Coordinates of all heavy atoms in Angstrom, one line a residue:
M130 N 0.8 -1.2 0.0 CA 0.0 0.0 0.0 C 0.9 1.3 0.0 O 1.8 1.4 0.8 CB -0.9 -0.1 1.2 CG -1.8 1.0 1.3 SD -3.0 0.8 2.6 CE -4.2 2.1 2.4
S131 N 0.7 2.3 -0.9 CA 1.4 3.4 -1.0 C 1.0 4.4 0.1 O 0.0 4.3 0.6 CB 1.4 4.0 -2.4 OG 0.0 4.4 -2.6
E132 N 2.0 5.3 0.3 CA 1.8 6.3 1.3 C 0.6 7.3 0.8 O 0.5 7.6 -0.4 CB 3.0 7.2 1.6 CG 4.1 6.4 2.3 CD 3.7 6.1 3.7 OE1 3.2 7.0 4.4 OE2 3.9 5.0 4.1
P133 N -0.3 7.8 1.6 CA -1.3 8.8 1.1 C -0.6 10.1 0.7 O 0.5 10.5 1.2 CB -2.1 8.9 2.4 CG -1.2 8.6 3.5 CD -0.3 7.6 3.0
T134 N -1.3 10.7 -0.1 CA -0.7 12.1 -0.5 C -0.9 13.0 0.6 O -2.0 13.1 1.2 CB -1.6 12.6 -1.8 OG1 -1.4 11.6 -2.8 CG2 -1.1 13.9 -2.2
E135 N 0.1 13.8 0.9 CA 0.0 14.8 2.1 C -0.2 16.2 1.4 O 0.7 16.6 0.5 CB 1.3 14.7 2.8 CG 1.1 15.4 4.2 CD 2.2 15.2 5.1 OE1 2.7 14.0 5.2 OE2 2.7 16.1 5.7
I136 N -1.2 16.9 1.8 CA -1.5 18.2 1.4 C -1.6 19.2 2.6 O -2.1 18.8 3.6 CB -2.8 18.2 0.7 CG1 -2.7 17.4 -0.6 CG2 -3.2 19.6 0.3 CD1 -4.1 17.2 -1.3
L137 N -0.9 20.3 2.4 CA -0.9 21.3 3.5 C -1.5 22.6 2.9 O -0.9 23.1 1.8 CB 0.6 21.6 3.8 CG 0.8 22.2 5.2 CD1 0.4 21.4 6.3 CD2 2.4 22.4 5.3
L138 N -2.5 23.1 3.4 CA -3.1 24.3 3.0 C -2.5 25.5 3.8 O -2.6 25.6 5.0 CB -4.7 24.3 3.1 CG -5.4 23.2 2.3 CD1 -6.8 23.3 2.6 CD2 -5.1 23.3 0.9
C139 N -2.0 26.5 3.1 CA -1.4 27.7 3.7 C -2.4 28.8 3.7 O -3.0 29.1 2.6 CB -0.1 28.1 2.9 SG 1.1 26.9 3.0
E140 N -2.8 29.3 4.8 CA -3.7 30.4 5.0 C -3.2 31.6 4.0 O -2.0 32.0 4.2 CB -3.8 30.9 6.4 CG -4.8 31.9 6.6 CD -5.2 32.2 8.0 OE1 -5.0 31.3 8.9 OE2 -5.3 33.4 8.3
D141 N -4.1 32.1 3.2 CA -3.8 33.1 2.3 C -2.6 32.8 1.4 O -1.9 33.8 0.9 CB -3.4 34.5 3.1 CG -4.6 34.9 3.9 OD1 -5.7 34.7 3.5 OD2 -4.3 35.5 5.0
G142 N -2.4 31.5 1.2 CA -1.2 31.1 0.3 C -1.6 29.8 -0.5 O -2.7 29.5 -0.7
P143 N -0.5 29.1 -1.0 CA -0.7 28.0 -1.8 C -1.1 26.8 -1.1 O -1.2 26.7 0.1 CB 0.8 27.8 -2.4 CG 1.6 28.3 -1.3 CD 0.9 29.4 -0.6
M144 N -1.3 25.7 -1.9 CA -1.5 24.4 -1.4 C -0.2 23.7 -1.7 O 0.2 23.6 -2.8 CB -2.6 23.7 -2.2 CG -2.8 22.3 -1.9 SD -4.3 21.5 -2.7 CE -3.8 21.7 -4.5
L145 N 0.4 23.0 -0.7 CA 1.7 22.3 -0.7 C 1.2 20.9 -0.8 O 0.6 20.3 0.0 CB 2.4 22.6 0.5 CG 2.9 24.1 0.8 CD1 3.7 24.1 2.0 CD2 3.5 24.8 -0.5
V146 N 1.8 20.3 -1.9 CA 1.5 18.8 -2.1 C 2.9 18.1 -2.1 O 3.8 18.5 -2.8 CB 0.8 18.6 -3.4 CG1 0.5 17.1 -3.6 CG2 -0.4 19.5 -3.6
R147 N 3.0 17.0 -1.2 CA 4.2 16.3 -1.2 C 4.1 15.1 -2.2 O 3.1 14.3 -2.3 CB 4.4 15.7 0.3 CG 5.7 15.0 0.5 CD 5.8 14.5 1.9 NE 5.6 15.5 2.8 CZ 6.4 16.4 3.3 NH1 7.6 16.4 2.8 NH2 6.1 17.3 4.2
G148 N 5.2 15.0 -3.1 CA 5.2 13.9 -4.1 C 4.8 14.5 -5.5 O 4.5 15.7 -5.6
Q149 N 4.8 13.7 -6.4 CA 4.6 14.1 -7.9 C 3.2 14.6 -8.0 O 2.2 14.1 -7.4 CB 4.7 12.9 -8.9 CG 4.6 13.2 -10.2 CD 4.8 12.2 -11.2 OE1 5.8 11.4 -11.0 NE2 4.1 12.2 -12.4
V150 N 3.0 15.7 -8.8 CA 1.7 16.4 -8.9 C 1.3 16.5 -10.4 O 2.3 16.8 -11.2 CB 1.7 17.8 -8.3 CG1 0.4 18.5 -8.5 CG2 2.0 17.7 -6.8
V151 N 0.2 16.2 -10.8 CA -0.3 16.5 -12.1 C -1.6 17.4 -12.0 O -2.5 17.0 -11.3 CB -0.6 15.2 -12.9 CG1 -1.2 15.6 -14.3 CG2 0.6 14.3 -13.1
V152 N -1.5 18.5 -12.5 CA -2.7 19.5 -12.5 C -3.2 19.6 -13.9 O -2.4 20.0 -14.7 CB -2.3 20.9 -11.8 CG1 -3.4 21.8 -11.9 CG2 -1.7 20.7 -10.4
E153 N -4.5 19.5 -14.0 CA -5.1 19.7 -15.4 C -5.9 21.0 -15.3 O -6.7 21.2 -14.4 CB -6.1 18.6 -15.7 CG -6.7 18.8 -17.1 CD -7.4 17.5 -17.6 OE1 -7.0 16.4 -17.4 OE2 -8.6 17.8 -18.1
D154 N -5.5 22.0 -16.1 CA -6.1 23.3 -16.0 C -7.5 23.3 -16.8 O -7.9 22.3 -17.4 CB -5.2 24.4 -16.5 CG -4.8 24.3 -17.9 OD1 -5.6 23.7 -18.7 OD2 -3.8 24.8 -18.4
E155 N -8.1 24.4 -16.9 CA -9.5 24.6 -17.5 C -9.4 24.4 -18.9 O -10.5 24.1 -19.5 CB -10.0 26.0 -17.1 CG -9.3 27.1 -17.6 CD -8.2 27.7 -16.7 OE1 -7.9 26.9 -15.7 OE2 -7.6 28.6 -17.0
D156 N -8.3 24.5 -19.6 CA -8.1 24.2 -21.0 C -7.8 22.8 -21.2 O -7.6 22.3 -22.4 CB -7.1 25.1 -21.6 CG -7.5 26.7 -21.5 OD1 -8.7 26.9 -21.6 OD2 -6.5 27.4 -21.3
G157 N -7.7 21.9 -20.2 CA -7.3 20.5 -20.5 C -5.8 20.3 -20.4 O -5.4 19.2 -20.7
Q158 N -5.0 21.3 -20.3 CA -3.6 21.2 -20.3 C -3.1 20.6 -19.1 O -3.5 21.0 -18.0 CB -2.9 22.5 -20.7 CG -1.4 22.4 -20.8 CD -0.8 23.7 -21.2 OE1 -1.4 24.7 -21.4 NE2 0.6 23.7 -21.3
R159 N -2.2 19.6 -19.2 CA -1.7 18.9 -18.0 C -0.3 19.5 -17.6 O 0.5 19.6 -18.5 CB -1.6 17.4 -18.1 CG -3.0 16.8 -18.4 CD -3.0 15.4 -18.9 NE -2.2 14.5 -17.9 CZ -2.7 13.8 -16.9 NH1 -4.0 13.9 -16.7 NH2 -1.9 12.9 -16.3
H160 N -0.1 19.9 -16.2 CA 1.0 20.3 -15.8 C 1.6 19.4 -14.7 O 0.9 19.0 -13.8 CB 0.8 21.8 -15.1 CG 0.2 22.8 -16.0 ND1 0.9 23.6 -16.8 CD2 -1.1 23.0 -16.2 CE1 0.0 24.4 -17.5 NE2 -1.2 23.9 -17.1
V161 N 2.9 19.0 -15.0 CA 3.5 17.9 -14.1 C 4.6 18.6 -13.3 O 5.4 19.3 -13.8 CB 4.0 16.7 -15.0 CG1 4.7 15.7 -14.1 CG2 2.9 16.1 -15.8
S162 N 4.6 18.2 -12.0 CA 5.7 18.5 -11.2 C 6.2 17.2 -10.5 O 5.5 16.5 -10.0 CB 5.3 19.6 -10.1 OG 6.4 19.7 -9.2
T163 N 7.5 17.2 -10.5 CA 8.2 15.9 -9.8 C 9.1 16.4 -8.7 O 9.8 15.7 -8.1 CB 9.0 15.2 -10.8 OG1 10.1 16.1 -11.4 CG2 8.3 14.6 -11.9
R164 N 8.8 17.7 -8.3 CA 9.6 18.2 -7.1 C 9.1 17.5 -5.8 O 7.9 16.9 -5.7 CB 9.2 19.7 -6.9 CG 9.7 20.5 -8.1 CD 9.2 22.0 -7.9 NE 9.8 22.5 -6.7 CZ 10.4 23.6 -6.5 NH1 10.5 24.4 -7.5 NH2 10.8 24.0 -5.3
P165 N 9.9 17.4 -4.8 CA 9.5 16.7 -3.6 C 8.3 17.4 -2.9 O 7.4 16.6 -2.5 CB 10.8 16.9 -2.7 CG 11.9 17.1 -3.6 CD 11.3 17.9 -4.8
V166 N 8.2 18.7 -3.0 CA 7.1 19.5 -2.5 C 6.7 20.4 -3.6 O 7.6 21.3 -4.0 CB 7.3 20.0 -1.2 CG1 6.1 20.9 -0.7 CG2 7.6 19.0 -0.1
T167 N 5.5 20.5 -4.0 CA 5.0 21.5 -4.9 C 4.0 22.5 -4.4 O 3.1 22.1 -3.7 CB 4.3 20.8 -6.2 OG1 5.3 19.9 -6.8 CG2 3.9 21.7 -7.2
A168 N 4.2 23.8 -4.7 CA 3.2 24.8 -4.2 C 2.2 25.1 -5.4 O 2.7 25.6 -6.5 CB 3.9 26.0 -3.8
V169 N 1.0 24.8 -5.1 CA 0.0 25.1 -6.2 C -0.8 26.3 -5.8 O -1.2 26.4 -4.6 CB -1.0 23.9 -6.3 CG1 -2.1 24.2 -7.4 CG2 -0.3 22.5 -6.6
C170 N -0.8 27.2 -6.7 CA -1.5 28.5 -6.4 C -3.0 28.3 -6.2 O -3.7 27.6 -6.9 CB -1.4 29.4 -7.7 SG -2.2 31.1 -7.5
R171 N -3.5 29.0 -5.1 CA -4.8 29.1 -4.8 C -5.4 30.5 -4.9 O -6.6 30.7 -4.7 CB -5.0 28.5 -3.4 CG -4.7 27.1 -3.1 CD -5.3 26.5 -1.9 NE -4.9 27.2 -0.7 CZ -5.7 27.4 0.4 NH1 -6.9 26.8 0.4 NH2 -5.3 28.1 1.4
C172 N -4.6 31.5 -5.0 CA -5.0 32.9 -5.0 C -5.4 33.4 -6.4 O -6.1 34.4 -6.5 CB -4.0 33.7 -4.4 SG -2.6 34.2 -5.4
G173 N -4.9 32.8 -7.4 CA -5.2 33.2 -8.8 C -4.2 34.3 -9.4 O -4.4 34.8 -10.4
A174 N -3.3 34.8 -8.6 CA -2.5 35.9 -8.8 C -1.1 35.5 -9.5 O -0.4 36.3 -10.0 CB -2.2 36.8 -7.7
S175 N -0.8 34.2 -9.5 CA 0.6 33.8 -9.9 C 0.7 33.9 -11.5 O -0.3 33.7 -12.2 CB 0.7 32.3 -9.6 OG 1.9 31.8 -10.1
S176 N 1.8 34.3 -11.9 CA 2.1 34.4 -13.4 C 2.7 33.1 -13.8 O 3.0 32.9 -15.0 CB 3.1 35.4 -13.6 OG 4.3 35.3 -12.9
L177 N 2.7 32.1 -12.8 CA 3.3 30.7 -13.4 C 2.2 29.7 -13.1 O 2.6 28.5 -12.8 CB 4.5 30.4 -12.5 CG 5.8 31.3 -12.6 CD1 6.8 30.9 -11.6 CD2 6.3 31.3 -13.9
K178 N 1.0 30.1 -13.1 CA -0.1 29.1 -12.9 C 0.0 27.8 -13.6 O 0.5 27.8 -14.8 CB -1.5 29.7 -13.3 CG -1.9 30.8 -12.3 CD -3.2 31.3 -12.7 CE -3.5 32.6 -12.2 NZ -3.5 33.7 -13.1
P179 N -0.1 26.7 -13.0 CA -0.9 26.5 -11.8 C 0.1 26.6 -10.5 O -0.4 26.3 -9.4 CB -1.5 25.1 -11.9 CG -0.5 24.3 -12.7 CD 0.1 25.4 -13.6
W180 N 1.3 26.9 -10.7 CA 2.2 26.9 -9.6 C 2.3 28.3 -8.9 O 2.1 29.3 -9.6 CB 3.6 26.6 -10.0 CG 3.6 25.4 -11.0 CD1 4.2 25.4 -12.2 CD2 3.1 24.1 -10.8 NE1 4.0 24.1 -12.7 CE2 3.3 23.3 -11.9 CE3 2.3 23.5 -9.8 CZ2 2.9 22.1 -12.1 CZ3 1.8 22.2 -10.0 CH2 2.1 21.4 -11.2
C181 N 2.5 28.3 -7.7 CA 2.6 29.5 -6.8 C 3.9 30.2 -7.1 O 5.0 29.5 -7.2 CB 2.6 29.1 -5.4 SG 3.0 30.5 -4.2
D182 N 3.9 31.5 -7.4 CA 5.2 32.3 -7.7 C 5.4 33.3 -6.5 O 6.3 34.1 -6.7 CB 5.1 33.0 -8.9 CG 4.1 34.0 -9.1 OD1 3.4 34.3 -8.1 OD2 4.1 34.7 -10.1
G183 N 4.7 33.2 -5.4 CA 4.8 34.2 -4.3 C 4.0 35.4 -4.4 O 3.9 36.1 -3.4
S184 N 3.2 35.5 -5.5 CA 2.4 36.7 -5.6 C 1.3 36.8 -4.5 O 0.8 38.0 -4.3 CB 1.7 36.7 -7.0 OG 2.7 36.8 -8.0
H185 N 0.9 35.8 -3.9 CA -0.2 35.8 -2.9 C 0.3 36.7 -1.7 O -0.5 37.3 -1.0 CB -0.5 34.4 -2.3 CG 0.7 33.7 -1.7 ND1 1.6 32.9 -2.5 CD2 1.2 33.8 -0.5 CE1 2.6 32.5 -1.7 NE2 2.3 33.0 -0.4
K186 N 1.7 36.8 -1.6 CA 2.1 37.7 -0.5 C 1.8 39.2 -0.7 O 1.6 39.9 0.2 CB 3.6 37.6 -0.3 CG 4.1 36.1 0.1 CD 5.6 36.0 0.1 CE 5.9 34.5 0.4 NZ 7.3 34.3 0.2
L187 N 1.6 39.6 -1.9 CA 1.3 40.9 -2.2 C -0.3 41.1 -2.0 O -0.7 42.3 -1.8 CB 1.5 41.2 -3.7 CG 2.9 41.1 -4.1 CD1 3.1 41.3 -5.6 CD2 3.9 42.1 -3.4
L188 N -1.0 40.1 -1.9 CA -2.5 40.1 -1.8 C -2.9 40.2 -0.3 O -3.9 40.8 0.1 CB -3.2 39.0 -2.5 CG -3.0 38.9 -3.9 CD1 -3.7 37.7 -4.4 CD2 -3.5 40.1 -4.7
A189 N -2.1 39.4 0.6 CA -2.6 39.3 2.0 C -1.4 39.9 2.9 O -0.3 39.6 2.8 CB -2.7 37.8 2.3
A190 N -1.8 40.7 3.7 CA -0.9 41.3 4.8 C -0.6 40.2 5.8 O -1.4 39.5 6.2 CB -1.5 42.5 5.5
G191 N 0.6 40.2 6.1 CA 1.1 39.2 7.2 C 1.6 38.0 6.7 O 2.3 37.2 7.4
G192 N 1.4 37.6 5.4 CA 1.9 36.4 4.8 C 1.1 35.1 5.2 O 0.4 35.2 6.2
P193 N 1.5 34.1 4.7 CA 0.7 32.8 5.0 C 1.1 32.1 6.2 O 2.2 32.3 6.7 CB 1.1 31.9 3.8 CG 2.5 32.3 3.4 CD 2.5 33.8 3.6
R194 N 0.2 31.5 6.8 CA 0.5 30.7 8.0 C 0.0 29.3 7.7 O -1.1 29.0 7.3 CB -0.3 31.2 9.2 CG 0.2 32.4 9.7 CD -0.4 32.7 11.1 NE -1.7 32.2 11.3 CZ -2.9 33.1 11.4 NH1 -2.6 34.4 11.4 NH2 -4.0 32.6 11.5
A195 N 1.0 28.4 7.7 CA 0.6 26.9 7.3 C -0.3 26.3 8.3 O -0.1 26.5 9.5 CB 1.9 26.1 7.1
R196 N -1.3 25.6 7.9 CA -2.2 24.9 8.8 C -2.4 23.5 8.2 O -2.9 23.3 7.1 CB -3.5 25.7 8.8 CG -4.6 25.1 9.6 CD -5.8 25.9 9.8 NE -6.1 26.4 8.4 CZ -7.4 26.6 8.0 NH1 -8.3 26.3 8.8 NH2 -7.7 27.0 6.9
R197 N -2.1 22.5 9.0 CA -2.2 21.2 8.6 C -3.6 20.7 8.7 O -4.2 20.9 9.8 CB -1.3 20.2 9.4 CG -1.2 18.8 9.0 CD -0.3 18.0 9.7 NE 1.0 18.4 9.5 CZ 1.8 18.0 8.5 NH1 1.3 17.3 7.6 NH2 3.1 18.5 8.5
L198 N -4.2 20.3 7.6 CA -5.6 19.8 7.6 C -5.7 18.3 7.5 O -6.8 17.8 7.6 CB -6.3 20.5 6.4 CG -6.5 21.9 6.6 CD1 -7.3 22.5 5.4 CD2 -7.1 22.4 7.9
G199 N -4.6 17.6 7.2 CA -4.7 16.2 7.2 C -4.2 15.6 5.8 O -3.8 16.3 4.9
S200 N -4.3 14.3 5.6 CA -4.0 13.7 4.5 C -5.2 13.2 3.6 O -6.3 13.0 4.3 CB -3.1 12.4 4.7 OG -2.0 12.9 5.4
V201 N -5.0 13.0 2.3 CA -6.2 12.5 1.5 C -5.7 11.2 0.9 O -4.6 10.9 0.8 CB -6.6 13.6 0.4 CG1 -7.2 14.7 1.0 CG2 -5.4 13.9 -0.5
Ligands
LIG50 S1 -0.9 31.2 -3.8 FE1 1.0 31.9 -4.2 S2 0.8 33.0 -6.0 FE2 -1.1 32.2 -5.6

């Protein structure tokens, strides 16, 4: 049995996913990341969508605070 995918939601920031990630965008284009941990944009401001480029920091004062919500 493989390990469950671990996801960390950052308040006012990205979704961090541990392990390989494939994101399919609204146009059906698939984006693959093989990084150990990938930051997926949740704010919509990234110029590297679907990946986070740090632009969320400009949107929210105080920066992100990571909050562990569990595994899926
Ligand atoms: S969550 Fe970081 S740029 Fe959108």
Side-chain angles (χ1 to χ4, degrees):
M130 186 172 183
S131 63
E132 291 291 317
T134 301
E135 191 169 320
I136 296 174
L137 198 64
L138 299 179
C139 299
E140 186 174 325
D141 299 327
M144 173 175 64
L145 303 180
V146 183
R147 189 178 307 277
Q149 182 173 330
V150 176
V151 179
V152 175
E153 184 172 314
D154 65 22
E155 62 273 9
D156 297 324
Q158 184 175 358
R159 293 167 61 87
H160 304 268
V161 178
S162 171
T163 58
R164 298 174 59 132
V166 177
T167 299
V169 180
C170 178
R171 296 195 306 148
C172 75
S175 175
S176 61
L177 299 174
K178 290 183 197 107
W180 317 127
C181 171
D182 70 353
S184 294
H185 61 270
K186 295 174 185 172
L187 301 174
L188 300 177
R194 292 192 322 250
R196 180 174 43 144
R197 183 176 299 279
L198 294 182
S200 301
V201 293

